[in-house]
């Protein structure tokens, strides 16, 4: 380490730092200021308490050297202010008239030194450098300790979240909502929607967000697929299910021996742009592998602002699901009516089926049917429920 020999022969490492020197005796301030500057320190001088407090607030300091008896707030007040602002900022106090009370305060508020004036120059410099180094050391240790505590807290929070997520997986079940073919008053398929009994993660989007955060998306995806496969045994339905785009990267999805693959011909995988499909580099290849296993593909939420026409072209789906934002109030909205009519025409040209989601009223239902959208899903027919709920149509077939 770079060393300097000071006046008294003391060997002190070279230290750079910023010092606030508070002294009302101009001659003394001048001498001490010069000594400290010569030692390599940057010195701010104040001759009274109010100025000293302002400098304390505005400057980044490594040390305060203050006379106790100064005009305005005194050296003890300055010490207290320094402590409140920065527990590691060293403060050296000097006094020409030592008294027990100020000495007690100096100890109480953690002064680094309590000097009787006059202070020898070499003692002043050596002590200043020493306490600056100790102050820095204390600051470094405090920061390290604080980041250790923060990391510890984060680890604890993560552990708690893992437990919450484990509970959610234990309580996982699927709710099914019918998708109807209105013209024949028939259920044409069900959409399987993930649910959990764990109250902390009731909302599926929260469940998925936590899985993403914990890096447990594949685990969630696999569990959902196994639930769906299990739910399809002993019943004849075609089942639509949502696939997180990241699930496309899980090799288990393509395993012909996986439970869901065994019933692939009755499964429609719904893809959405909610998390970008663009991040799946070999998307075409993966979609082809799914089709070869017998899965059909649907594009979910078209019109929601997530799935655009790009994903329409990218996925070339067998089925397009129009988002419920297009359905809502469609009976009273000519623009939406034209959009839906055009989409239905386009999909027909491509040989794709269209499902309108979120049908809640008879008026929406009738308008969609008139526009050429015969397949529908929504609370109007049935809410999602665990046991493949029966759809209610509320209008008989002519002659039926
Ligand atoms: O993104 P996706 O289309 O898979 O979302 C389906 C969600 O929409 C489910 O959570 C389901 O409960 C909800 N849902 C289904 N039908 C209706 C409906 O008619 N109205 C409303 N507001 N929500 C619905
Ligand atoms: Mn869906």
């Amino acid at each position: 380490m770079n060393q300097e020999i000071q006046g008294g022969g003391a060997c002190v490492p070279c230290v750079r730092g910023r010092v606030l020197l508070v002294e009302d005796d101009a001659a003394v301030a001048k001498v001490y200021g010069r000594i400290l500057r010569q030692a390599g320190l940057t010195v701010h001088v104040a001759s009274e308490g109010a100025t000293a407090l302002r400098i304390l607030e505005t400057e980044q300091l490594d040390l305060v050297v203050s006379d106790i008896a100064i005009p305005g707030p005194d050296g003890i007040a300055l010490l207290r202010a320094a402590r409140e602002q920065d527990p590691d900022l060293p403060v050296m106090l000097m006094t020409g008239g030592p008294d027990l009370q100020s000495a007690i305060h100096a100890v109480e508020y953690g002064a680094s030194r309590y000097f009787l004036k006059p202070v020898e120059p070499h003692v002043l410099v050596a002590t200043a450098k020493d306490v600056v180094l100790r102050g820095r050391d204390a600051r470094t240790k405090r920061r390290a300790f604080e980041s250790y505590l923060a990391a510890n807290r984060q680890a604890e929070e993560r552990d708690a979240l893992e437990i919450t997520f484990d509970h959610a997986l234990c309580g996982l079940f699927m709710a099914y909502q019918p998708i109807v073919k209105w013209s024949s008053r028939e259920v044409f398929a069900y959409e399987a929607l993930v649910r959990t009994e764990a109250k902390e993660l009731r909302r599926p989007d929260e469940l998925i967000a936590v899985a993403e955060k914990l890096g447990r998306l594949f685990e969630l995806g696999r569990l959902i697929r196994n639930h769906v496969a299990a739910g399809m045994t002993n019943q004849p339905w075609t089942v639509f299910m949502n696939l997180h785009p990241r699930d496309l990267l899980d090799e288990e999805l393509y395993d012909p021996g996986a439970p869901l693959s065994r019933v692939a011909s009755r499964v429609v995988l719904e893809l959405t742009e909610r998390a970008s499909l663009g991040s799946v580099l070999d998307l075409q290849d993966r979609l082809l592998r799914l089709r070869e296993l017998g899965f059909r593909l649907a594009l979910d939420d078209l019109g929601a602002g997530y799935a655009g026409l790009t994903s329409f072209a990218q996925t070339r789906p067998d089925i397009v699901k129009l988002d419920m934002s297009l359905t809502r109030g469609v009976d009273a909205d000519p623009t939406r009516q034209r959009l839906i009519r055009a989409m239905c025409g386009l999909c027909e040209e491509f040989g794709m089926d269209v499902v309108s989601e979120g049908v809640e009223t008879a008026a929406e239902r009738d308008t969609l049917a008139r526009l050429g959208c015969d397949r529908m899903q929504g609370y109007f027919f049935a809410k999602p429920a665990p046991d493949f709920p029966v759809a209610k149509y509320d209008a008989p077939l002519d002659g039926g």
Side-chain angles (χ1 to χ4, degrees), residues 195-212:
R195 298 286 184 263
T196 176
E197 271 152 15
K199 60 180 184 313
E200 300 93 342
L201 290 175
R202 274 274 156 77
R203 287 183 41 193
D205 53 342
E206 281 170 3
L207 181 71
I208 291 162
V210 171
E212 282 174 351

Side-chain angles (χ1 to χ4, degrees), residues 82-388:
R83 255 330 126 258
E84 270 171 32
Q85 199 169 304
D86 178 354
D88 302 316
L89 176 62
V91 177
M92 287 163 50
L93 294 176
M94 307 177 291
T95 180
D99 67 283
L100 191 58
Q101 194 56 47
S102 71
I104 289 171
H105 280 145
V107 171
E108 193 178 342
Y109 301 122
S112 303
R113 294 287 191 284
Y114 185 88
F115 283 122
L116 298 185
K117 291 211 273 190
V119 186
E120 288 289 325
H122 73 273
V123 173
L124 179 68
V125 168
T127 312
K129 289 186 168 185
D130 182 50
V131 298
V132 164
L133 287 178
R134 281 173 198 271
R136 280 194 192 145
D137 202 33
R139 204 171 277 166
T140 308
K141 283 187 181 133
R142 183 183 299 275
R143 287 200 183 130
F145 187 58
E146 277 166 3
S147 52
Y148 164 77
L149 286 182
N152 223 22
R153 240 186 334 264
Q154 257 178 9
E156 274 171 15
E157 277 168 20
R158 198 185 164 90
D159 286 350
L161 200 58
E162 296 270 9
I163 290 168
T164 304
F165 189 67
D166 286 342
H167 282 159
L169 294 191
C170 284
L172 198 90
F173 66 96
M174 304 308 295
Y176 299 87
Q177 186 178 34
I179 306 174
V180 306
K181 194 165 186 305
W182 171 245
S183 57
S184 56
R185 311 295 192 269
E186 282 171 327
V187 171
F188 131 86
Y190 281 87
E191 178 172 358
L193 295 152
V194 67
R195 298 286 184 263
T196 176
E197 271 152 15
K199 60 180 184 313
E200 300 93 342
L201 290 175
R202 274 274 156 77
R203 287 183 41 193
D205 53 342
E206 281 170 3
L207 181 71
I208 291 162
V210 171
E212 282 174 351
K213 187 168 177 187
L214 296 175
R216 296 176 68 180
L217 212 52
F218 284 3
E219 187 185 350
L220 176 64
R222 289 177 187 196
L223 192 62
I224 291 173
R225 292 199 293 279
N226 289 347
H227 270 276
V228 170
M232 288 173 71
T233 52
N234 304 323
Q235 60 79 25
W237 304 109
T238 290
V239 172
F240 285 54
M241 64 170 290
N242 298 296
L243 198 66
H244 192 290
R246 200 102 46 87
D247 279 331
L248 287 169
L249 302 175
D250 183 1
E251 278 307 313
E252 201 261 2
L253 179 65
Y254 308 92
D255 177 359
L260 194 71
S261 303
R262 300 215 192 102
V263 288
S265 62
R266 288 194 287 131
V267 175
V268 179
L269 299 173
E270 297 189 9
L271 293 163
T272 174
E273 274 276 20
R274 260 164 230 265
S276 176
L277 281 173
S279 62
V280 184
L281 291 176
D282 46 357
L283 182 68
Q284 298 308 330
D285 179 48
R286 289 179 183 272
L287 298 184
L288 186 65
R289 287 165 72 193
L290 291 174
R291 287 192 156 111
E292 281 169 359
L293 284 168
F295 289 110
R296 274 168 292 163
L297 302 175
L299 184 61
D300 203 6
D301 306 318
L302 191 71
Y306 301 105
L309 294 177
T310 313
S311 36
F312 190 88
Q314 269 177 334
T315 52
R316 272 166 279 134
D318 303 280
I319 294 145
V320 168
K321 297 188 82 180
L322 300 182
D323 190 70
M324 65 179 85
S325 57
L326 284 172
T327 300
R328 191 65 55 250
V330 65
D331 47 295
D333 185 341
T335 308
R336 275 180 226 196
Q337 289 170 20
R338 290 180 67 176
L339 265 170
I340 288 174
R341 193 192 289 282
M343 279 311 299
C344 289
L346 189 66
C347 289
E348 201 179 344
E349 258 181 56
F350 281 115
M352 300 168 185
D353 283 331
V354 180
V355 175
S356 276
E357 294 186 312
V359 178
E360 290 185 357
T361 67
E364 288 168 353
R365 175 201 69 193
D366 292 341
T367 307
L368 289 167
R370 185 167 53 76
L371 296 170
C373 184
D374 191 27
R375 289 176 168 81
M376 307 179 205
Q377 179 182 351
Y379 293 169
F380 180 82
F381 302 102
K383 288 198 168 178
D387 294 323
F388 294 89

